Amino acid sequence: MSMPKVSLDGSSNFEIPQHVAIIMDGNGRWAAARGLPRGEGHRRGVEALRRTVRAAGELGIDILTIFAFSSENWSRPQTEIRDLLGLLRRFIRNDLAELHQNNIRVRVIGEREGLAADVASLLNEAEEMTRDNDGLTLVVAFNYGARQEIARAARRLAEEVGAGRLASSDITAERLSEFLDMPDLPDPDLIIRTSGEQRLSNFLLWQSAYSELVFVPTFWPDFDRAALEHAISEYRRRERRFGGLAAAAT
Ligand code: FPP
């Protein structure tokens, strides 16, 4: 999206993270606190997602990655899995045209094999329709687990070695990352987890090596632009050294 970068505090040299990833947690607790079914929490979570995508574009974030469904979420009750898959289907059917109109490119990471055929084809359709858009990139992590992603990359590297196309001594961190699910995108600068939990839960374990982690108490259905701006302000207070020394010490 060719949105101007808008300063949160009016300053001009204001740093916006290029890639923000979000663990959208707390839908169930949001619903329980109101005596509502968990599905209502997820439904309101989709509304929060719409708000966040809009805000990310307006703030000039280039890439927004969302954890929509984890490899481990299959262990939830069948009814809840049905709710979540239904919301994904509806999100793509209802929102894809608008995402496309807003020049948003949708990409999907995670294991595609074994998904229901209609879900797999909706995910493909979202990627195909928006392939040439050059605004915000929305990466949907669906049926995603970081350990599984790394294991898939290792398997493909092993196949390359087995076929004689690669020597085992060629395997470096850089080479392995070429076999991950979004090899061409920069690692997230900022990972936000809502609901007060402070862990990564198998999300982007490789790519988060130098990400700033910001944990916010807000349950996901209450997340909005102000909460995103607040997390970005926290990110801006951090000093990123990437294993080097502080700027003042160099
Ligand atoms: C965590 O809340 C959230 C999820 C497991 C899924 C996130 C899904 C959405 C925001 C809606 C679906 C959107 C798409 C595009 C599929 P939780 O259920 O773990 O909450 P809890 O920890 O309070 O129980």
Side-chain angles (χ1 to χ4, degrees), residues 24-30 38 42-43 45-46 49 66-69 73 76 80 84 87-88 91 140 142 195 197 219-220:
M24 311 179 290
D25 196 11
N27 296 346
R29 278 164 287 164
W30 180 93
R38 293 177 59 82
H42 294 315
R43 202 183 62 71
V46 176
L49 174 59
I66 52 155
F67 204 2
F69 193 91
N73 283 153
R76 294 195 176 197
E80 182 162 349
L84 285 166
L87 283 172
L88 178 79
F91 178 68
V140 180
F142 189 83
S195 90
E197 306 291 350
F219 289 144
W220 176 251

Side-chain angles (χ1 to χ4, degrees), residues 102-115:
N102 288 326
N103 196 24
I104 292 171
R105 177 167 183 195
V106 179
R107 297 184 49 172
V108 182
I109 59 171
E111 178 61 81
R112 218 67 78 86
E113 220 158 281
L115 289 181

Side-chain angles (χ1 to χ4, degrees), residues 159-181:
E159 284 163 8
E160 293 296 303
V161 172
R165 288 190 290 268
L166 206 63
S168 56
S169 56
D170 292 334
I171 299 178
T172 57
E174 287 72 27
R175 187 55 65 90
L176 192 144
S177 30
E178 288 167 16
F179 287 81
L180 295 173
D181 290 354

